[in-house]
Structure formats: C-alpha cells, structure tokens
Amino acid sequence: MATIALVNPPAPMNITRRWRCAVEQGHYLFPPIELCYLAAVIKKEGHTAVIFDCVADHTTCDELKSKLSRLDPEMVIAIPGYEHINEDIEEMSGLIPDRSKLVIFGHLASLYAKELLTHHKRLDVIVLGEPEETVGELAGKAELKDKSGILGIAWKDAKGAYVKNKDRPDIKDLDTLPFPDRSQIDAKKYFSGFPDKEPFTTIVSARGCNYRCTYCVRSYGDVLRQRSVPNVIAEMKECEKTGIKTIRFLDDTFTARREWVKEFCRMYHENGFRMKWTALARPDNLDEELIAEMASAGCNRIMMGVEAGSKRVLVSYARNPASLDNLTSLCKAMRKNGIQSFAFFLIGGPDETVEEMKESLAVAKKCNPDFITLNMMRAYPGTTMYDKLVASGHASFRILPYHSTFKANLPDEEVQKFLFTFYRGFYFSPKWFFTHIPMMIRHFPYMVRLGLEYLSWETRGTNFGKEKPEEREAEKK
C-alpha cells in the first residue's frame, strides 16, 4: 500500500489552481477539486492519500517540507499554476523527501511535458490529460523504475531519458468516478467571491465542451461528457450532510443540455434541498422558462459569457452573434426570479477596435446585469486563436522560462486604460445605481469591499496581481 501526498503548493496570494488555469484573485478561493478527485481514486485503489492545500491553510514552504518529511510518501502529486508553473515545480522539488517521486498534471504540463521533464531534474512524471484513471494506476507502481506500461504519462527512465507513453482515452462514463474526497479540506476556508452562505464548495457535473470558441482552453476535450442527474444529486446529498450551504458548478456550460437541467431541477425539488447554487451559461441556451425553473430549484446566480458587444467580433470568436439579441430580457427574467445576473466580457481581441469595445460597454449598460467582470484577451496554447496568431507572427509562447506575447490591434496600455473606463461607465451609470440600491443596502459590507478593491486596481493601474503590466512582463523576461 502506497502513501501519496496531493499538494496545492504554497503561494503568497490567493490563487485558485485548476487543471486548465490558475487565477490570482483575493476575493474568492475555490477548493482544489482536482486533488479531491485524485484522493478519492487513490483511496479506492487501496492506498493512502493525504491532501495539503497550502493556499487555504496558509502553509509555508518550511511547514510543508516538515509535514512531507514526517509523512515520507512514495509519491507527491502537485498541481502547479500557470504563469508560475516553473517556480511551483522548483519549489516542490526542494520540499519533497529524497525517496519521493514528484508528479504533476494540468493543461500546460500536458502540452510541454518534454521541456518540463528535461529541465526540472527532480520532476519524475507528468500525467497527461485527464488524470484520475492514470493516477489510480500510477499510485500502485510508484516504486517501479519501468513505467512503460502505464497509459497517459510522460516520465524519465533510469538513465534520465524522456519517455512518453501512449495516451489514455478520456473517461466515457463519469459516473464511474468516486465523488471528490472533501473530508481532508475545511469547506469554511473557501469562498465564492459573493455574499453567499458558507460553507461553500464546487461540483463538476460535466467535462468537455461542444462549442468551439477560438480563445477558450476547453477543460477536458471537445466532446461534452455529462454525469447523470442522479449521480450529481447523490454528491449534493453528501455535501449537504457536511453542512455545505452554497455550490458553484464548474462546468464550462451548465445549460448545454436543456433536458438535463430540467431533470436536475425536478430532482432538486424531490430531494428537498435548500442549498443555493451558481452556474455558467451561454445567452443562446437560456430563456425565461429555464431561468424560472432554475430559480425555483435553488439557483441564485447565473454567470453568462457575453464576451463582446460587436456581432462581428463574436463571429471572429466563433460565438453566436444572435446571443446579443435577448440579453436584456434574460437579465430582466433573472431579476424577476430572484437570480443575480453576472456577465463576462473580453476586451482587446486580435482585431477589435476601440469603437467595438465601446459597443461592449453599451451592451452591458443596456442589459444591466447585476455584475460584470472584464478580462483582457490573451492567446493561450491549445486554442485555435493561439495557433492562428502564432502562424501570423502575432503571438508566441515559451515555457522555459515562461513567456507569452500577444500582439492585438490595440496596445495593452490602451486596452488596460479602457478596462477602467468600462468599469466606471457601467457601475457608475445612473441606471445600474438606481436599479441596485436594494442590493447595495442588503449587502453593504460586500459592496464596500468591492469598491475598495476597485480603487486598489485603479491605484496600481492593473486588475491583475500586485504589479502593473509592464512589471509583469519584465518579470517574465
């Protein structure tokens, strides 16, 4: 029986590390659900799994090193960040016991396995793609020097040579996975970023995405694989027994299959749940009827990917331009049914103009959601946008050291400046202010905290991390 340590490495800030990304935001922190899944799989195989969430527990490097030394595991599996992937690997390399094998997984790790394994001498194995079945098999073979028979890994042989095994097929039936092992994490340490009731957790009810947005790193492939509704309901029951009050569904598009959502809402009622939940949706697969059903079944917030106010830009992103036509009615329907509306916008696309960014602001003000958030467009490896921009010389990426360039139609400084113009234009508009006076009164401390965070962004000149954009670029170089 092997002992496996599962680590979310120490970090100086709140960072939510996930399979496809890492998000540095102080106002929310999600549980390391991928590590919880791995812990459940490892235990199912008869081994011992110990989770160390150093971010939530504020564990220092010295403290982690001491804990790992006492545990002395055969294997340490870490989920590294995105921009700081090399720093995370180097940090873990110096913290694990001599006999432990260091294993990592994730989107970037899967794409650049050879470079990372060759460069980081202490790194032993990279799990490629979907990790659960691979880690379940790997856990029992940690001591084996020859790992050539394990599908879905890249590794170094006894001579230190790079080896890549055959890929492992994705899990077709997600119901076969055990529920994430949340017993080792304290749900009270995680929070949604909104004034929701705690304890809080996340649930993944589907993997993969049938849509083809050019900028998106699809979490687990191009095919939507959905758990059965009874299987998701059973996990919710387990969460309810531990006192969980609020759930965030992490699916790329929770509303991708209408009949699935309707069955979920029906079974929510049948089981008498009182938990509230939030989900991601696309405007083009929402309507007033579905919103009403979701509201009656505990949904308190729908987060929509609007992305752009220009139909031309949406077409360039492989998004449905018709999705803009019903945004106002959707936001009204959510407000009518007691659901908070949240809209995501992207600005600074490859050929987006200032006028088109202004169209996005106009759309946001017109549909008047409860909240918006903006992201500056970036081209990430593994997306069709990245491939196209690299071919035209407008993007590049290097894993060692990490460096990413993206040349859009507008310079970063101008896009960053408009980001603040967008926020001010939306949140300081009379329409938004007077519509949301009741919400501001009801959640006054929360709204003050958001306001102070925004002021800190303006002061620093960026809404990312603690540095200004030019300082981040200098650090990468």
Side-chain angles (χ1 to χ4, degrees):
M1 184 178 76
T3 298
I4 314 295
L6 301 164
V7 180
N8 185 16
M13 77 294 285
N14 265 359
I15 179 170
T16 296
R17 295 183 177 98
R18 297 206 56 222
W19 188 91
R20 69 170 179 176
C21 64
V23 182
E24 300 172 24
Q25 287 289 355
H27 64 275
Y28 74 85
L29 183 65
F30 292 172
I33 200 70
E34 287 88 351
L35 297 184
C36 295
Y37 262 115
L38 295 183
V41 169
I42 290 167
K43 288 182 176 181
K44 184 180 178 181
E45 294 296 323
H47 307 290
T48 299
V50 182
I51 297 175
F52 297 101
D53 187 352
C54 300
V55 177
D57 296 335
H58 305 291
T59 305
T60 66
C61 289
D62 288 343
E63 290 169 340
L64 177 61
K65 185 174 184 177
S66 177
K67 290 178 180 181
L68 290 176
S69 178
R70 290 195 298 270
L71 184 66
D72 195 27
E74 284 88 350
M75 188 181 299
V76 176
I77 302 177
I79 181 167
Y82 210 87
E83 293 185 355
H84 303 289
I85 184 170
N86 291 296
E87 291 88 338
D88 286 344
I89 296 171
E90 283 301 312
E91 184 176 80
M92 290 304 303
S93 296
L95 300 179
I96 64 175
D98 290 340
R99 81 172 188 123
S100 299
K101 304 293 184 184
L102 180 59
V103 180
I104 64 169
F105 65 102
H107 173 67
L108 273 188
S110 297
L111 287 180
Y112 296 96
K114 185 172 184 178
E115 293 90 335
L116 293 171
L117 278 166
T118 303
H119 179 78
H120 296 285
K121 304 305 179 186
R122 195 68 176 80
L123 181 59
D124 296 287
V125 178
I126 292 179
V127 176
L128 307 172
E130 203 163 34
E132 287 84 7
E133 289 184 343
T134 302
V135 166
E137 183 177 354
L138 188 62
K141 301 178 179 179
E143 298 293 344
L144 289 182
K145 293 183 179 180
D146 184 0
K147 296 180 173 61
S148 57
I150 303 175
L151 297 180
I153 65 169
W155 54 291
K156 287 182 288 199
D157 64 18
K159 296 181 179 179
Y162 171 80
V163 182
K164 180 186 179 298
N165 294 355
K166 291 183 179 179
D167 292 335
R168 183 181 295 270
D170 287 338
I171 302 167
K172 292 183 178 180
D173 183 2
L174 297 178
D175 285 6
T176 61
L177 286 173
F179 298 150
D181 177 12
R182 297 180 175 88
S183 65
Q184 298 184 60
I185 61 173
D186 184 354
K188 294 178 181 178
K189 294 183 178 181
Y190 305 97
F191 41 98
S192 68
F194 294 92
D196 293 325
K197 289 185 178 180
E198 298 177 0
F200 159 83
T201 195
T202 58
I203 287 180
V204 179
S205 71
R207 294 182 178 181
C209 182
N210 287 335
Y211 297 103
R212 296 294 180 268
C213 305
T214 61
Y215 52 82
C216 188
V217 175
R218 282 177 282 280
S219 301
Y220 288 105
D222 297 331
V223 177
L224 178 66
R225 292 165 290 142
Q226 207 152 20
R227 295 166 57 187
S228 69
V229 173
N231 186 255
V232 175
I233 292 293
E235 183 179 350
M236 290 176 66
K237 286 182 179 179
E238 188 177 276
C239 291
E240 186 179 48
K241 290 177 182 178
T242 65
I244 296 295
K245 301 294 185 185
T246 305
I247 291 169
R248 163 74 182 271
F249 284 98
L250 295 178
D251 312 10
D252 291 341
T253 308
F254 184 81
T255 53
R257 290 177 177 166
R258 184 184 185 85
E259 292 308 312
W260 189 98
V261 178
K262 292 169 75 72
E263 183 184 356
F264 171 84
C265 292
R266 177 179 60 79
M267 291 196 70
Y268 179 98
H269 289 295
E270 289 177 357
N271 285 273
F273 287 129
R274 300 181 65 86
M275 292 180 290
K276 297 296 183 180
W277 51 275
T278 297
L280 291 165
R282 290 170 57 106
D284 51 3
N285 53 35
L286 272 178
D287 57 38
E288 294 184 32
E289 179 190 356
L290 194 62
I291 288 169
E293 288 198 43
M294 292 168 68
S296 71
C299 180
N300 67 339
R301 187 175 304 108
I302 295 176
M303 311 179 86
M304 299 184 295
V306 179
E307 315 306 11
S310 161
K311 291 190 175 184
R312 186 201 69 81
V313 171
L314 287 177
V315 170
S316 74
Y317 293 163
R319 300 277 298 190
N320 180 7
S323 63
L324 295 177
D325 297 337
N326 63 341
L327 280 176
T328 301
S329 62
L330 290 178
C331 290
K332 286 181 178 178
M334 290 181 215
R335 190 167 295 119
K336 174 184 174 182
N337 286 279
I339 291 179
Q340 288 183 343
S341 53
F342 189 107
F344 292 99
F345 286 89
L346 285 167
I347 59 173
D351 59 352
E352 189 175 23
T353 66
V354 172
E355 290 304 314
E356 286 171 327
M357 291 196 298
K358 289 179 179 178
E359 286 185 60
S360 292
L361 173 56
V363 165
K365 293 170 73 172
K366 180 181 178 182
C367 67
N368 196 29
D370 295 312
F371 299 99
I372 63 165
T373 193
L374 306 176
N375 288 297
M376 292 171 60
M377 177 64 78
R378 289 292 180 266
Y380 291 111
T383 66
T384 54
M385 177 180 286
Y386 172 82
D387 293 339
K388 182 178 178 180
L389 290 174
V390 167
S392 64
H394 289 85
S396 65
F397 184 87
R398 184 178 65 230
I399 193 69
L400 290 164
Y402 184 100
H403 183 68
S404 178
T405 61
F406 170 74
K407 297 177 183 177
N409 184 48
L410 299 168
D412 260 13
E413 294 76 12
E414 188 170 353
V415 176
Q416 182 77 57
K417 183 178 179 180
F418 187 80
L419 180 143
F420 293 112
T421 299
F422 199 126
Y423 274 124
R424 287 193 299 267
F426 177 77
Y427 283 113
F428 296 166
S429 69
K431 182 177 182 180
W432 186 89
F433 184 85
F434 287 111
T435 303
H436 293 88
I437 287 176
M439 182 182 73
M440 289 188 284
I441 294 173
R442 188 166 61 252
H443 302 300
F444 183 72
Y446 170 75
M447 300 304 294
V448 170
R449 190 165 69 248
L450 281 187
L452 291 174
E453 182 173 3
Y454 173 77
L455 288 175
S456 74
W457 288 356
E458 286 258 27
T459 302
R460 297 197 314 265
T462 178
N463 63 324
F464 294 103
K466 296 182 179 180
E467 324 88 7
K468 294 184 178 181
E470 60 269 22
E471 293 171 342
R472 292 174 66 85
E473 288 303 314
E475 180 184 342
K476 292 176 193 175
K477 294 174 183 177

